[in-house]
Amino acid sequence: MQSVFGIVVFSVVGISGLIAIGAFLFAGPPHSSIGGGGFAPPAPSSGSEPAEMREDDVRQMLEARNRRRIARGEPGGDVEAELAALLAPEASNAPVSGEVRAEAEAIVTARQSRRRRRGQPEGDFEAEVDELLRTIGAG
């Protein structure tokens, strides 16, 4: 009886090992599907969402905030005015603080040094600093 038990254990381990090796070889990159199950939504194809989807999400959040305010007995706000203010392109030409500009310049300097090491053209320093400040909404 003991000799049969050993044969069964080694057979199961051997077959399991072969299945594991086959799954590893034919399943593709092992880390490509971590966290994704049968019910997981597909990964977005681009980094940004459509403007109408963003507007709808912001409107829903503002309406929910308004409902909470009204439930507490506070006056509700104008959702459309707040939505327009939040989604309006930033046209502020307010001066940027020295610390923020210095930080942006340090980031651009680091980018340009990496480009220089790779043999790529560095580009316009001031234009890149201004673009970075515009991207983060500071300028």
Side-chain angles (χ1 to χ4, degrees):
M1 185 68 168
Q2 293 218 345
S3 63
V4 173
F5 180 72
I7 292 172
V8 170
V9 168
F10 284 117
S11 300
V12 168
V13 169
I15 291 171
S16 299
L18 291 175
I19 291 172
I21 290 172
F24 181 74
L25 293 176
F26 298 111
H31 299 293
S32 65
S33 62
I34 290 179
F39 298 108
S45 59
S46 65
S48 63
E49 59 186 14
E52 55 272 352
M53 181 185 264
R54 180 172 183 245
E55 181 179 336
D56 187 44
D57 289 345
V58 173
R59 178 177 280 115
Q60 288 177 8
M61 287 187 281
L62 290 174
E63 288 172 350
R65 184 176 69 179
N66 245 5
R67 285 192 297 272
R68 287 191 306 271
R69 283 181 180 169
I70 293 170
R72 287 191 307 249
E74 299 174 4
D78 183 14
V79 173
E80 292 304 318
E82 289 182 53
L83 181 69
L86 286 173
L87 297 180
E90 300 213 11
S92 67
N93 291 328
V96 178
S97 73
E99 292 178 9
V100 174
R101 183 152 189 92
E103 185 73 24
E105 288 174 354
I107 291 171
V108 172
T109 301
R111 285 180 186 171
Q112 288 189 350
S113 66
R114 284 192 299 270
R115 288 185 198 130
R116 194 177 315 118
R117 282 194 304 264
R118 289 186 217 138
Q120 298 173 340
E122 293 179 23
D124 183 20
F125 181 80
E126 287 300 320
E128 196 167 342
V129 168
D130 292 340
E131 177 63 29
L132 180 61
L133 290 172
R134 195 171 25 260
T135 302
I136 63 172

